Amino acid sequence: MKEKKPTFDEIVDRFKELTKQGFIKTHRAGDNGIGKTLEDELGIPENNIQGPDGEATEVKGARKNSSSNLSLFTKNPLPRGINSKLRQAYGHPDATYAPKLSLHCTVTTTKPNPEGFILIGKTDRIELAFTKKQTKVPNLDTPYWKQSTLEKAIKRKYADSLFYAKAKTRGSGTDEEFHFIEAYHLQGLSFKNFSKNLDQGILVAEPRMGFNGPKTKKPGSPHDHGTAFRINPSLLDKIFAKSIRVV
C-alpha cells in the first residue's frame, strides 16, 4: 500500500516542529542532502514521480544565502536518447573516469554557453541549438522540448503550490547539519510565466550526464540525472504569482 501523501497543512505543522529541533545531521552527503533530509523529516517518501511530493504541494529546500540554482522539474529533450549523443559529441573528460566523457552544463536563451549550446524558443517547442560544430556524432539531431510536454510537467508538479524551506547550515559532506528556520508558500506558476522567464534567461536548463560513483552497484556506468529546469531561489517571486511566508 502506498503511503498517504501529507496535505499542505500537515507539511506546515510538521515543519514547525522541525524548526524546534535545531541542527540535525544530513541524511545524504552532497548538494541533494538538504532536499533528502527535509523530505524525510516531513514524512515524504522518496520517489521519482512527476507529480508533487505532498498531496497537492511540491516541497523544496535550500541552504540559506546559497547562490545555487534550485531545480523546478526534470525533463529530458526529444528525440529519445539524444542526451547520450550530446554527451558523446560535446562532453568533457570525467574527473573520476577519464577518458570517459561527462556533460554538466547550464544553458540559457541569452548567449551560447562554453559548449556552444543556446535555448531558442519556437512556436510549439524550445530547442537546444548548437553554435559549435562537432565531428564525433554524425547527423546529430537538434534536441527539443514540446511546449505541450513542458506545460504538462508544470501542471503535474505545481498545479497547486510550492512549499519552499530554508535552513542554516554548518559542517560539510556527511557531517553537514541543517537547522530549518523559515518556509514560504508559492502559488501560480503558469506555462506562460515559465516561458517568459525562460526567454529572459531567469530560468535555465542544465543537462547532467555522468557516471555512477565508486561506491554504487555499477561504478563507472553511465548515469543520466536528467535535464533540469532551474532557477536561482532569490528569483522565485518572478515565476510564481503569489508568495507568502508561512513559518
Side-chain angles (χ1 to χ4, degrees):
M1 179 181 292
K2 291 184 179 180
E3 188 174 344
K4 182 179 180 295
K5 292 182 177 182
T7 65
F8 175 77
D9 289 339
E10 288 172 336
I11 290 172
V12 172
D13 288 342
R14 293 176 188 179
F15 186 81
K16 287 179 179 178
E17 292 301 312
L18 180 58
T19 63
K20 299 175 184 178
Q21 295 183 30
F23 281 95
I24 57 175
K25 191 173 182 179
T26 185
H27 294 192
R28 176 182 293 165
D31 292 342
N32 296 330
I34 188 165
K36 170 64 173 170
T37 305
L38 177 62
E39 290 179 1
D40 286 351
E41 294 294 332
L42 295 179
I44 296 172
E46 188 169 22
N47 60 74
N48 293 312
I49 62 172
Q50 296 179 335
D53 296 313
E55 187 176 82
T57 305
E58 179 68 359
V59 173
K60 298 286 184 184
R63 297 162 177 83
K64 191 172 176 64
N65 301 322
S66 172
S67 59
S68 297
N69 283 341
L70 186 75
S71 294
L72 292 174
F73 63 90
T74 299
K75 182 62 63 177
N76 279 350
L78 295 172
R80 188 172 181 178
I82 191 64
N83 266 5
S84 178
K85 294 180 180 179
L86 280 181
R87 180 176 61 80
Q88 295 172 43
Y90 291 97
H92 310 283
D94 187 80
T96 303
Y97 297 107
K100 292 182 177 180
L101 303 176
S102 59
L103 180 60
H104 298 264
C105 62
T106 298
V107 192
T108 74
T109 58
T110 55
K111 63 180 180 180
N113 71 357
E115 289 75 21
F117 300 162
I118 189 169
L119 296 176
I120 298 177
K122 299 291 183 70
T123 302
D124 62 344
R125 63 177 60 190
I126 293 169
E127 293 185 349
L128 192 157
F130 313 128
T131 62
K132 289 184 179 179
K133 292 183 178 180
Q134 58 82 33
T135 58
K136 297 179 181 178
V137 180
N139 302 317
L140 182 63
D141 293 318
T142 299
Y144 68 94
W145 296 265
K146 292 181 180 178
Q147 175 181 317
S148 57
T149 300
L150 295 176
E151 194 163 10
K152 285 179 182 177
I154 293 168
K155 288 181 177 179
R156 283 174 181 159
K157 277 284 187 186
Y158 303 100
D160 183 74
S161 61
L162 167 67
F163 179 88
Y164 172 59
K166 294 183 181 181
K168 293 180 179 179
T169 65
R170 67 186 184 191
S172 61
T174 57
D175 294 321
E176 187 174 17
E177 295 180 309
F178 306 112
H179 180 193
F180 292 94
I181 55 173
E182 60 188 79
Y184 299 83
H185 187 206
L186 296 99
Q187 294 176 292
L189 174 59
S190 65
F191 176 78
K192 181 178 179 181
N193 211 13
F194 171 89
S195 181
K196 180 183 76 173
N197 284 279
L198 191 67
D199 287 343
Q200 294 175 353
I202 292 173
L203 281 158
V204 301
E206 295 189 356
R208 302 171 299 169
M209 291 165 276
F211 301 91
N212 288 314
K215 296 182 179 180
T216 60
K217 292 182 179 179
K218 296 181 179 180
S221 60
H223 188 175
D224 185 354
H225 292 275
T227 301
F229 284 88
R230 310 187 77 194
I231 187 172
N232 187 290
S234 66
L235 301 174
L236 281 170
D237 287 351
K238 291 186 176 295
I239 64 169
F240 285 89
K242 185 178 181 182
S243 175
I244 300 174
R245 182 168 179 175
V246 291
V247 180

